[in-house]
Amino acid sequence: MPGNSFGHTFRITTFGESHGTAIGVVIDGCPAGLEFDLDFVQHELDRRRPGQSAIVTQRQETDRVELLSGVFEGKTTGMPLALLIRNEDAKSNDYSHIADKYRPSHADFTYQAKYGHRDYRGGGRSSARETAARVAAGAIAKLFLKKNGISVTAWVSRVGDVTLDKTHEQLDFSQIEATPVRCPDLAVAEQMEALIRQVRKEGDTIGGIVSCVVQGCPPGLGEPVFDRLHADLGKAILSINACKGFEIGSGFAGVTMRGSQHNDPFFTDENGVVRTRTNHSGGVQGGISNGMDITFRVAFKPVATIVQAQESVNEAGESVQVEGKGRHDPCVLPRAVPIVEAMAALVLADHFLRNKMAIIRIEGLKD
Amino acid sequence: MPGNSFGHTFRITTFGESHGTAIGVVIDGCPAGLEFDLDFVQHELDRRRPGQSAIVTQRQETDRVELLSGVFEGKTTGMPLALLIRNEDAKSNDYSHIADKYRPSHADFTYQAKYGHRDYRGGGRSSARETAARVAAGAIAKLFLKKNGISVTAWVSRVGDVTLDKTHEQLDFSQIEATPVRCPDLAVAEQMEALIRQVRKEGDTIGGIVSCVVQGCPPGLGEPVFDRLHADLGKAILSINACKGFEIGSGFAGVTMRGSQHNDPFFTDENGVVRTRTNHSGGVQGGISNGMDITFRVAFKPVATIVQAQESVNEAGESVQVEGKGRHDPCVLPRAVPIVEAMAALVLADHFLRNKMAIIRIEGLKD
Amino acid sequence: MPGNSFGHTFRITTFGESHGTAIGVVIDGCPAGLEFDLDFVQHELDRRRPGQSAIVTQRQETDRVELLSGVFEGKTTGMPLALLIRNEDAKSNDYSHIADKYRPSHADFTYQAKYGHRDYRGGGRSSARETAARVAAGAIAKLFLKKNGISVTAWVSRVGDVTLDKTHEQLDFSQIEATPVRCPDLAVAEQMEALIRQVRKEGDTIGGIVSCVVQGCPPGLGEPVFDRLHADLGKAILSINACKGFEIGSGFAGVTMRGSQHNDPFFTDENGVVRTRTNHSGGVQGGISNGMDITFRVAFKPVATIVQAQESVNEAGESVQVEGKGRHDPCVLPRAVPIVEAMAALVLADHFLRNKMAIIRIEGLKD
Amino acid sequence: MPGNSFGHTFRITTFGESHGTAIGVVIDGCPAGLEFDLDFVQHELDRRRPGQSAIVTQRQETDRVELLSGVFEGKTTGMPLALLIRNEDAKSNDYSHIADKYRPSHADFTYQAKYGHRDYRGGGRSSARETAARVAAGAIAKLFLKKNGISVTAWVSRVGDVTLDKTHEQLDFSQIEATPVRCPDLAVAEQMEALIRQVRKEGDTIGGIVSCVVQGCPPGLGEPVFDRLHADLGKAILSINACKGFEIGSGFAGVTMRGSQHNDPFFTDENGVVRTRTNHSGGVQGGISNGMDITFRVAFKPVATIVQAQESVNEAGESVQVEGKGRHDPCVLPRAVPIVEAMAALVLADHFLRNKMAIIRIEGLKD
């Protein structure tokens, strides 16, 4: 079983390497009749693309996306949607010096160990460039979710020690894109940006946390017992480059709470909708969405490429020194925001369709 | 797509409800020729079973396991292994009072919303009783991994505020089973047990953290780009009842580190094996195991069933009071240890077999 | 990827060997709210079971089925349904003489070559006994289909040279079960039965053809481009023991027709339903059902077990003589009828649910 | 579950419509280290492409293939291989007259019924143009199989009433490409070609049979009980446009044989290899290859597009006349040959890799 597909009913397959001809994605299972919006796909790619601001990698890729199939007269046909992005600014020479060396905490060694033959240029397939395909597919998932009243919003809530201590209800989402760092609290964003600039000056990198909320999700998404909604969200998010942790609702902080504090009491609101007073569950109970906001947080480690000499070995196992050249991000967080949103949107679209089976379970049986 | 199967090459399908006739599991893809050991399966189930100590639920289930297929003359045949555990001490009357009420932070509401018809007795399929089937299957995964030099070991590293601050290298694993709480540091275990007893006395519950290490795993396990080893581990673990967070290696703590601190330098050890000086990666780089120990941590929330009156609603949406009766655990952590191990073992066995494809990629092509 | 599961949304996993403890099946994805009817499952098993008449194997198995999970208060809950059938009349001693010999045209050699360790008793997992699990699962698929107005009917249309030359419209389906041979034309059935008796007397076996029709299937089932409805039907049917051929609609006979003869003209009937004047397509066009009857035919070879000395080799590769003992069928056709129906029903139930995705594609998008 | 992917370990996903921008395929799971040969892929596409001879459709497509990913320094890397073919000679105006009409025995009606919105130009996704992507992927499967000593060869054995009555041992495969009709017996080929020309002159079409043999396949391929090798071959083949039947080994002709005639006696040949004296099984026993040649036959109906007025209805259900314009094949058989080979090669490559799991079952367990 190869691993380049994700999802069951809304299913994507990605391809392409950092310095190859192109990257792209095939989306199979997108419902027919959806108004397609290539500009929106491009807009999402622009949020992820390199060179967009002073605090990200200066590789210049316009990430111009081309649609190859699946749309007729402006609407999806239910057939596979293929999207293509050609690589433009691939400076492969930047990487010849590490052709036979393993950069610490990169995938060079593990790919070599697994496949015995690898495209070392820019990390090849292991490069975060692959996530452009995810963002393109995620944009289409977002179009589908929007039609069904569901939105996915992420932001940077921590860079190193600089933390945004607010719940999503306290934030103004319109400010997320106001700064290159994608933290909606502008004062905190300024501190984060300063830290990133300083770290870059030192030839170093820094990690952080992305927070995300899914709003408008109806109850019922998630398939017991293994394909719980938050388990699939966790897998989706953990498959993003540099991600080291995932927590939903109360997460790791919840381990010190008592059940009497943590339990979310039910009530019926003024519209007759069953809701919970608190939301420590993060919108998922028993692996199924309960109609409340779905909230999760994601830990990203510092980027592995640093401009400092590091101890390592080469393919012969001999001791060598490795120093990062290549263009890279001092902090992955700002560009991780659209990627987190994309992966979450893909999970939600997939489970939205899977849940239709359950509705059939109830209503679809004729007597 | 239903959700009761897990894994691709070493694949399990579980069935059964808390108060139904039986629970069980079918394992498809276990290699032929493996010496089968039903006593070991039973031993693992005994570690998970209710009523095993004073600090867990007092439901009395012997969890006696029966093998139905897949073994001939003591060895697996490559055919599906089916394992059956009949329910014995199901006191369904304990639950009649909540037949039409939603217990806070249980799956009652979400199952009703999704399926429109549910077995409310003991939570039905959403009960943690389902995890017995996982432990039985995980035992067979462990047998397979053991043959290949791989072990999986978990322990309780935190209950509420009581924390074990040691790395796995500093622990004596032989002490894990020495106390009912499954923390290998006996002094800390004593504090944890005291806290659990106190919480139970208050009719309340408490959460905690399980730590886990996989040892002896060769480099190469994990399938880019979506089925990264730690992404599949994350999904497996997050699918366990009450789990709210998963982190690998440095996890959430790594977000404050610089790349220069976090990167794991490579060196060649005295046996000619490429290793890393530190292990912030947690044994996985680029989604593929690198041969180092795989370390991860799991957050469990406090059990939802408490012996206190709580606000809720019934199926008609009317305001009601709910009070937990039924037998339950004041703290899920001690019994979660074998479950975490089982799910990790299932992921490792699955990826061990999937990785054989990669080895074919290198060696299996004749000229 | 192991191969003991079938279907995607209505998904079954079977287990068990001919002379092991039990055989069974787990059905995952059966909609909730379906009235469960264990008597009907048993009725279908009785149609398949050995010892039911003088012209089938005399192994005595009551094939008593037990439900283990997935039903509450008489209705399915959407959770996995597990069904168990214990083996009773397993005379394993019948097989000791072929423990290390390969019976011609059985699976003895191929299982040994593939797995290196096999349960030789009665063919182990390769025995047609495994199909009891399919019939049990198929019965539940039939219950689901019936609720949606779809029926599946099969009959024996050929045994050796004795052929029933009538279309399904010319037959009285109520006569299928009137004779042990399951051919609804009683005169032809008599000839078939006579042939089977004669063949058995000679210690030999004979093949034949099962015909099948699916009625009441709405347009829209089938998923381009690989999971065409008739491709999935073909796979399902070809996976039945002794099956060597599958054809839909005009099948092999259609190769001599001109397009002008073969094309099925459309018209709108008196109820406003689009139908075709002829049905050479067999109810499927472009891989998708068109609302007409789905018709297909299945070729079964003669059973491999014969009571005659045959040339073969043993595991050491030495020349040996093999003579069938064991109890066996002189002709598999009569008992194949419920198996063909079961596999077809499983495909239809699976695609009925998969097609709901397409309906969402059209109607499920809110503006 | 969408249906545009095929295979489990060697897995393809195709996309594209007849008159869209491009068609293509992503291959996931091709082993690393395989020498890539784009010329061979092009060669296979040339065998399938329209306009190649006087007896096929005159649409002019060069079907020039571009590789987008997965190869580095001439060898596969184990990463997805993406192949792209742009459409060039799409005359969409040819189809405006059938925009709202259903051509008899085409997929127009069923796609409309299923999706509610379709690309009618040239049949859109339902066009046989989609099979170019299969042939491209199949070429890579063939490269992989060749490295492992396995070949797949197909030829036209029947057009209408003109039949080639020879086994594959009696044929000279080097003559298959000698005539445009792809029948290796030149005298029969001439008759077939004459028949095709005559049928075309009449504005009509004709069906036929493709025969295929897989040589060099080792014992062990095929996964009981559902993913039997011939069941997966059957599904693969039946998913090809215009295919109505599939039979392996003795097929439908075997139904009149006695077991004593049909059984294939085993013997050990001069090289110590276990073989069978006859091969009525067609190289597969119990769903697993036995090392003998795998032989199967495929029925294709006459192409639906004819240049004659036909009765039909439009989307409003009104009675209309439809007459084929567009360019089309009078007989699909010659171009079906590389498609049948491609699909068979994909199944073999997939099962070759899946079977490696079984070999691990035997040898891969360390003590």
Side-chain angles (χ1 to χ4, degrees):
Chain A
M1 278 297 291
N4 295 287
S5 295
F6 184 80
H8 293 275
T9 55
F10 193 104
R11 182 171 178 82
I12 69 168
T13 303
T14 69
F15 60 87
E17 289 85 34
S18 178
H19 289 62
T21 302
I23 57 173
V25 61
V26 182
I27 301 150
D28 199 9
C30 180
L34 181 70
E35 272 180 59
F36 189 76
D37 184 348
L38 193 62
D39 291 342
F40 179 68
V41 178
Q42 189 63 58
H43 169 262
E44 290 293 283
L45 283 167
D46 291 347
R47 294 175 70 208
R48 194 217 70 97
R49 82 171 177 82
Q52 66 182 268
S53 78
I55 58 169
V56 305
T57 174
Q58 294 308 301
R59 176 171 172 174
Q60 292 301 326
E61 291 286 350
T62 57
D63 281 354
R64 198 53 48 189
V65 65
E66 182 187 13
L67 175 73
L68 299 175
S69 65
V71 172
F72 183 61
E73 296 179 343
K75 289 188 179 175
T76 58
T77 58
M79 301 298 108
L81 298 154
L83 294 164
L84 190 69
I85 302 162
R86 291 194 180 265
N87 292 323
E88 296 170 348
D89 187 26
K91 299 193 181 171
S92 302
N93 292 344
D94 283 1
Y95 296 93
S96 56
H97 68 294
I98 50 106
D100 72 339
K101 293 177 190 165
Y102 303 136
R103 291 169 297 165
S105 291
H106 273 91
D108 302 337
F109 169 69
T110 53
Y111 270 62
Q112 187 66 32
K114 187 177 184 75
Y115 299 106
H117 175 56
R118 72 193 159 93
D119 180 351
Y120 58 78
R121 300 167 304 165
R125 180 82 179 139
S126 76
S127 164
R129 177 139 190 78
E130 173 265 327
T131 57
R134 302 181 183 212
V135 168
I140 295 170
K142 281 185 176 182
L143 286 174
F144 172 70
L145 293 173
K146 193 180 176 190
K147 276 279 183 188
N148 290 284
I150 303 170
S151 67
V152 181
T153 310
W155 63 95
V156 176
S157 58
R158 182 164 187 168
V159 173
D161 288 318
V162 183
T163 302
L164 172 65
D165 260 335
K166 290 183 178 169
T167 67
H168 70 271
E169 291 93 345
Q170 298 167 319
L171 297 175
D172 177 0
F173 286 171
S174 74
Q175 298 300 300
I176 293 172
E177 298 294 317
T179 67
V181 83
R182 292 203 167 88
C183 169
D185 183 308
L186 303 189
V188 179
E190 203 169 319
Q191 295 173 54
M192 288 175 174
E193 195 176 336
L195 176 57
I196 295 172
R197 287 177 184 278
Q198 176 200 327
V199 161
R200 189 181 51 186
K201 202 175 298 172
E202 295 165 7
D204 217 330
T205 58
I206 186 85
I209 292 177
V210 168
S211 294
C212 186
V213 62
V214 179
Q215 295 177 300
C217 181
L221 276 62
E223 298 296 321
V225 291
F226 295 107
D227 297 352
R228 282 165 148 94
L229 185 59
H230 63 292
D232 276 354
L233 279 170
K235 169 170 172 158
I237 298 300
L238 287 160
S239 79
I240 301 173
N241 304 46
C243 177
K244 303 302 281 184
F246 171 88
E247 60 180 9
I248 184 158
S250 60
F252 279 88
V255 306
T256 59
M257 295 172 76
R258 302 289 166 102
S260 54
Q261 300 170 288
H262 194 279
N263 283 354
D264 297 317
F266 286 111
F267 72 102
T268 303
D269 74 8
E270 58 281 10
N271 302 314
V273 177
V274 172
R275 304 182 57 202
T276 62
R277 298 255 178 233
T278 51
N279 188 14
H280 297 115
S281 301
V284 179
Q285 291 175 328
I288 300 171
S289 64
N290 67 357
M292 301 296 291
D293 289 345
I294 299 169
T295 59
F296 61 87
R297 287 157 37 98
V298 188
F300 287 96
K301 65 162 190 163
V303 172
T305 303
I306 56 175
V307 193
Q308 301 182 14
Q310 296 176 87
E311 174 190 8
S312 190
V313 298
N314 61 17
E315 281 182 26
E318 300 158 342
S319 182
V320 296
Q321 286 247 326
V322 174
E323 183 162 346
K325 289 197 220 168
R327 297 151 297 184
H328 68 276
D329 293 88
C331 177
V332 83
L333 275 289
R335 292 176 64 207
V337 166
I339 306 169
V340 166
E341 286 180 2
M343 292 308 298
L346 289 166
V347 172
L348 268 292
D350 191 34
H351 274 282
F352 186 89
L353 291 168
R354 292 175 74 176
N355 185 44
K356 290 300 172 188
M357 298 293 97
I359 292 173
I360 288 156
R361 286 162 191 162
I362 302 164
E363 299 163 7
L365 299 169
K366 304 178 214 154
D367 243 312
Chain B
M1 277 299 289
N4 295 287
S5 294
F6 185 81
H8 292 275
T9 53
F10 193 103
R11 183 170 178 83
I12 69 167
T13 303
T14 68
F15 61 87
E17 289 85 34
S18 179
H19 289 61
T21 302
I23 57 173
V25 62
V26 182
I27 302 151
D28 199 8
C30 181
L34 181 70
E35 272 179 60
F36 189 76
D37 184 347
L38 193 61
D39 290 343
F40 179 68
V41 178
Q42 189 63 58
H43 169 261
E44 290 293 283
L45 283 167
D46 291 346
R47 293 176 70 208
R48 194 215 70 97
R49 82 171 176 83
Q52 66 182 268
S53 79
I55 58 168
V56 305
T57 175
Q58 293 308 301
R59 176 170 171 172
Q60 292 301 326
E61 290 286 351
T62 56
D63 281 355
R64 198 55 46 188
V65 65
E66 182 186 13
L67 174 73
L68 299 175
S69 64
V71 172
F72 183 62
E73 296 179 343
K75 290 187 178 175
T76 59
T77 58
M79 301 297 108
L81 297 153
L83 294 164
L84 190 69
I85 303 162
R86 292 194 179 265
N87 291 322
E88 295 170 350
D89 186 25
K91 299 195 180 169
S92 303
N93 293 343
D94 284 1
Y95 296 93
S96 54
H97 68 294
I98 49 107
D100 71 339
K101 293 178 190 166
Y102 302 136
R103 291 169 297 165
S105 292
H106 273 92
D108 302 337
F109 169 69
T110 53
Y111 269 62
Q112 186 68 30
K114 188 176 184 75
Y115 300 106
H117 175 57
R118 72 192 159 93
D119 179 352
Y120 57 78
R121 300 167 305 165
R125 180 82 180 138
S126 75
S127 165
R129 177 139 189 77
E130 173 265 328
T131 57
R134 302 180 182 212
V135 168
I140 295 170
K142 281 184 176 182
L143 287 174
F144 173 69
L145 293 173
K146 193 180 176 189
K147 277 278 183 188
N148 290 284
I150 303 170
S151 67
V152 181
T153 310
W155 63 95
V156 176
S157 58
R158 182 164 187 169
V159 173
D161 289 318
V162 183
T163 302
L164 171 65
D165 261 335
K166 290 184 179 169
T167 67
H168 71 271
E169 291 93 344
Q170 298 167 317
L171 298 175
D172 178 0
F173 286 172
S174 74
Q175 298 299 299
I176 294 173
E177 298 293 318
T179 66
V181 82
R182 293 203 168 89
C183 169
D185 183 308
L186 303 189
V188 179
E190 203 170 321
Q191 294 174 55
M192 289 174 173
E193 195 176 338
L195 176 57
I196 295 171
R197 286 177 186 278
Q198 176 200 328
V199 161
R200 188 181 51 186
K201 202 175 300 173
E202 296 166 4
D204 217 331
T205 59
I206 186 85
I209 293 177
V210 168
S211 294
C212 186
V213 62
V214 180
Q215 296 176 301
C217 182
L221 276 61
E223 299 295 321
V225 292
F226 296 107
D227 297 352
R228 281 166 149 94
L229 185 58
H230 63 292
D232 276 353
L233 279 170
K235 169 169 171 159
I237 298 300
L238 286 159
S239 79
I240 300 172
N241 303 46
C243 177
K244 303 301 280 184
F246 171 88
E247 60 180 9
I248 184 158
S250 59
F252 279 88
V255 306
T256 60
M257 294 172 77
R258 302 290 165 100
S260 54
Q261 300 169 288
H262 193 280
N263 283 355
D264 297 317
F266 286 110
F267 72 102
T268 304
D269 75 8
E270 58 282 9
N271 302 315
V273 177
V274 173
R275 304 181 58 203
T276 62
R277 299 258 178 230
T278 51
N279 188 13
H280 297 114
S281 301
V284 179
Q285 291 175 328
I288 301 171
S289 63
N290 66 358
M292 301 295 291
D293 289 345
I294 298 169
T295 59
F296 62 87
R297 286 155 39 95
V298 188
F300 287 96
K301 66 162 189 164
V303 172
T305 304
I306 57 175
V307 193
Q308 300 182 15
Q310 295 176 87
E311 175 191 7
S312 191
V313 298
N314 62 16
E315 281 182 26
E318 299 159 339
S319 182
V320 294
Q321 286 247 326
V322 175
E323 184 162 345
K325 288 197 221 169
R327 297 150 299 183
H328 68 276
D329 292 88
C331 176
V332 81
L333 274 291
R335 292 175 65 205
V337 166
I339 306 170
V340 166
E341 288 181 1
M343 291 310 297
L346 288 165
V347 172
L348 269 292
D350 191 33
H351 274 282
F352 187 90
L353 291 169
R354 291 176 74 176
N355 186 44
K356 289 300 171 189
M357 298 294 96
I359 292 172
I360 288 156
R361 286 160 192 164
I362 303 164
E363 298 161 7
L365 298 169
K366 304 179 214 155
D367 244 312
Chain C
M1 276 298 291
N4 295 287
S5 294
F6 184 80
H8 293 275
T9 53
F10 193 103
R11 182 170 178 83
I12 69 168
T13 302
T14 69
F15 61 87
E17 289 86 34
S18 179
H19 290 61
T21 302
I23 57 173
V25 61
V26 182
I27 302 151
D28 199 8
C30 181
L34 181 70
E35 273 180 57
F36 189 76
D37 183 348
L38 193 61
D39 291 342
F40 179 68
V41 178
Q42 189 62 58
H43 169 261
E44 290 293 284
L45 283 167
D46 290 346
R47 293 175 70 207
R48 195 216 69 97
R49 82 172 176 82
Q52 66 182 268
S53 78
I55 59 167
V56 305
T57 176
Q58 294 307 301
R59 175 171 173 173
Q60 292 300 327
E61 290 285 353
T62 56
D63 282 353
R64 198 55 46 189
V65 64
E66 182 187 14
L67 174 74
L68 300 175
S69 64
V71 172
F72 182 62
E73 296 179 343
K75 290 189 178 175
T76 58
T77 58
M79 301 298 108
L81 297 154
L83 294 164
L84 189 69
I85 303 163
R86 293 195 178 263
N87 292 322
E88 295 170 349
D89 187 25
K91 298 194 181 170
S92 303
N93 292 344
D94 283 2
Y95 296 93
S96 55
H97 68 294
I98 50 106
D100 72 338
K101 294 177 189 166
Y102 303 135
R103 291 168 297 165
S105 291
H106 273 91
D108 302 337
F109 169 69
T110 53
Y111 270 63
Q112 186 67 30
K114 187 177 185 75
Y115 300 107
H117 175 56
R118 72 193 159 92
D119 179 352
Y120 57 79
R121 300 167 303 166
R125 180 85 179 135
S126 76
S127 166
R129 177 140 190 77
E130 173 265 328
T131 58
R134 302 181 182 212
V135 168
I140 295 170
K142 281 184 175 182
L143 287 174
F144 172 70
L145 293 173
K146 194 180 175 188
K147 276 279 183 187
N148 290 284
I150 304 170
S151 67
V152 181
T153 311
W155 64 95
V156 176
S157 58
R158 183 164 187 168
V159 173
D161 288 317
V162 184
T163 302
L164 172 65
D165 260 336
K166 290 183 176 168
T167 66
H168 72 270
E169 290 93 345
Q170 299 168 317
L171 297 176
D172 177 0
F173 286 172
S174 73
Q175 298 300 299
I176 294 172
E177 298 293 319
T179 66
V181 82
R182 293 202 168 89
C183 169
D185 183 308
L186 302 189
V188 179
E190 205 170 317
Q191 294 174 55
M192 288 174 173
E193 194 175 337
L195 176 57
I196 295 172
R197 286 178 186 278
Q198 176 200 326
V199 161
R200 188 181 51 186
K201 203 175 296 170
E202 295 166 4
D204 217 332
T205 58
I206 186 84
I209 292 177
V210 168
S211 293
C212 186
V213 61
V214 179
Q215 296 176 300
C217 181
L221 276 62
E223 299 296 321
V225 292
F226 295 107
D227 296 353
R228 281 167 149 93
L229 184 59
H230 62 292
D232 276 354
L233 279 170
K235 169 169 171 158
I237 298 299
L238 286 159
S239 78
I240 300 173
N241 303 45
C243 178
K244 302 301 281 185
F246 171 90
E247 59 181 11
I248 184 158
S250 60
F252 279 88
V255 306
T256 61
M257 294 172 76
R258 301 290 166 99
S260 54
Q261 300 169 287
H262 194 279
N263 283 355
D264 297 317
F266 286 111
F267 72 102
T268 303
D269 74 8
E270 57 281 8
N271 301 314
V273 177
V274 173
R275 304 182 56 203
T276 63
R277 299 254 179 234
T278 51
N279 188 15
H280 298 115
S281 301
V284 180
Q285 291 175 329
I288 300 171
S289 64
N290 66 357
M292 301 295 291
D293 288 345
I294 299 169
T295 59
F296 62 87
R297 285 156 41 96
V298 188
F300 288 96
K301 65 162 189 162
V303 172
T305 303
I306 57 175
V307 192
Q308 300 182 17
Q310 296 176 85
E311 175 191 6
S312 190
V313 297
N314 61 17
E315 282 182 25
E318 299 158 341
S319 182
V320 295
Q321 286 247 328
V322 174
E323 184 162 344
K325 288 197 221 169
R327 297 150 298 184
H328 68 277
D329 292 89
C331 177
V332 81
L333 274 290
R335 293 175 63 206
V337 166
I339 306 169
V340 166
E341 288 180 2
M343 291 309 297
L346 288 166
V347 172
L348 268 293
D350 191 34
H351 274 283
F352 187 90
L353 291 169
R354 291 177 74 176
N355 186 44
K356 290 298 172 190
M357 297 294 95
I359 292 174
I360 289 157
R361 286 162 191 163
I362 302 165
E363 299 162 7
L365 298 169
K366 304 179 213 155
D367 244 312
Chain D
M1 275 299 289
N4 295 287
S5 294
F6 184 81
H8 292 275
T9 53
F10 193 103
R11 183 170 178 82
I12 69 168
T13 303
T14 69
F15 61 88
E17 289 85 34
S18 179
H19 289 63
T21 302
I23 57 173
V25 61
V26 182
I27 302 150
D28 199 8
C30 181
L34 181 70
E35 272 181 58
F36 190 76
D37 183 348
L38 194 62
D39 291 342
F40 180 68
V41 178
Q42 189 62 58
H43 169 261
E44 290 293 283
L45 283 167
D46 291 346
R47 294 175 69 208
R48 194 216 70 97
R49 82 171 177 83
Q52 66 182 268
S53 79
I55 58 168
V56 305
T57 176
Q58 294 307 301
R59 175 170 173 174
Q60 292 301 327
E61 290 285 351
T62 56
D63 281 354
R64 199 54 45 188
V65 66
E66 182 187 13
L67 175 73
L68 299 175
S69 64
V71 173
F72 183 62
E73 296 179 344
K75 290 188 178 174
T76 59
T77 58
M79 301 298 108
L81 298 154
L83 294 164
L84 190 69
I85 302 163
R86 292 194 179 265
N87 292 322
E88 296 171 347
D89 187 25
K91 298 193 179 170
S92 303
N93 293 343
D94 283 2
Y95 296 92
S96 55
H97 68 295
I98 50 105
D100 71 339
K101 294 177 191 165
Y102 302 135
R103 291 169 297 165
S105 291
H106 273 91
D108 302 337
F109 169 69
T110 52
Y111 269 63
Q112 187 66 32
K114 188 177 184 73
Y115 300 107
H117 175 56
R118 72 193 158 92
D119 179 352
Y120 57 78
R121 300 168 303 166
R125 180 85 178 135
S126 76
S127 165
R129 177 140 189 78
E130 173 265 327
T131 57
R134 302 181 183 212
V135 169
I140 295 171
K142 281 184 175 182
L143 286 174
F144 173 69
L145 293 173
K146 194 180 175 189
K147 277 278 183 188
N148 290 284
I150 303 170
S151 67
V152 182
T153 310
W155 63 95
V156 176
S157 59
R158 183 164 187 168
V159 173
D161 288 318
V162 184
T163 302
L164 172 65
D165 261 336
K166 290 183 177 168
T167 66
H168 71 270
E169 290 93 344
Q170 298 168 317
L171 297 175
D172 177 359
F173 286 172
S174 73
Q175 298 300 299
I176 293 172
E177 298 293 319
T179 66
V181 82
R182 292 203 168 86
C183 169
D185 183 307
L186 301 188
V188 179
E190 203 170 318
Q191 295 174 54
M192 288 175 173
E193 194 175 337
L195 175 57
I196 295 172
R197 286 177 185 278
Q198 177 200 328
V199 161
R200 188 181 52 186
K201 202 175 296 169
E202 295 166 5
D204 217 331
T205 58
I206 187 84
I209 292 177
V210 168
S211 293
C212 187
V213 62
V214 180
Q215 295 177 301
C217 181
L221 277 62
E223 299 296 322
V225 292
F226 295 107
D227 297 352
R228 281 166 148 93
L229 184 59
H230 63 292
D232 277 354
L233 279 170
K235 169 170 172 159
I237 298 300
L238 287 160
S239 78
I240 300 173
N241 303 47
C243 178
K244 303 301 281 184
F246 171 89
E247 60 181 10
I248 184 159
S250 60
F252 279 88
V255 307
T256 60
M257 295 172 77
R258 301 292 165 99
S260 54
Q261 300 169 288
H262 193 280
N263 283 355
D264 298 317
F266 286 110
F267 72 102
T268 303
D269 75 8
E270 57 282 10
N271 302 314
V273 177
V274 174
R275 303 182 57 202
T276 62
R277 298 256 179 233
T278 51
N279 188 14
H280 297 115
S281 300
V284 179
Q285 291 175 328
I288 300 171
S289 64
N290 66 358
M292 301 296 290
D293 289 346
I294 298 168
T295 60
F296 61 88
R297 286 156 39 95
V298 188
F300 287 97
K301 66 162 190 164
V303 171
T305 303
I306 57 176
V307 193
Q308 299 182 16
Q310 295 176 88
E311 175 191 8
S312 190
V313 299
N314 61 17
E315 282 182 25
E318 300 158 339
S319 182
V320 295
Q321 286 248 327
V322 174
E323 184 162 345
K325 288 196 221 169
R327 298 150 297 184
H328 68 277
D329 292 89
C331 177
V332 82
L333 274 290
R335 292 175 64 207
V337 166
I339 306 169
V340 166
E341 287 181 3
M343 291 310 297
L346 288 166
V347 172
L348 269 292
D350 191 35
H351 274 283
F352 187 90
L353 291 169
R354 291 175 74 176
N355 186 43
K356 290 299 172 190
M357 297 294 96
I359 291 173
I360 289 157
R361 284 160 192 163
I362 302 165
E363 299 162 5
L365 298 168
K366 304 178 212 154
D367 242 314

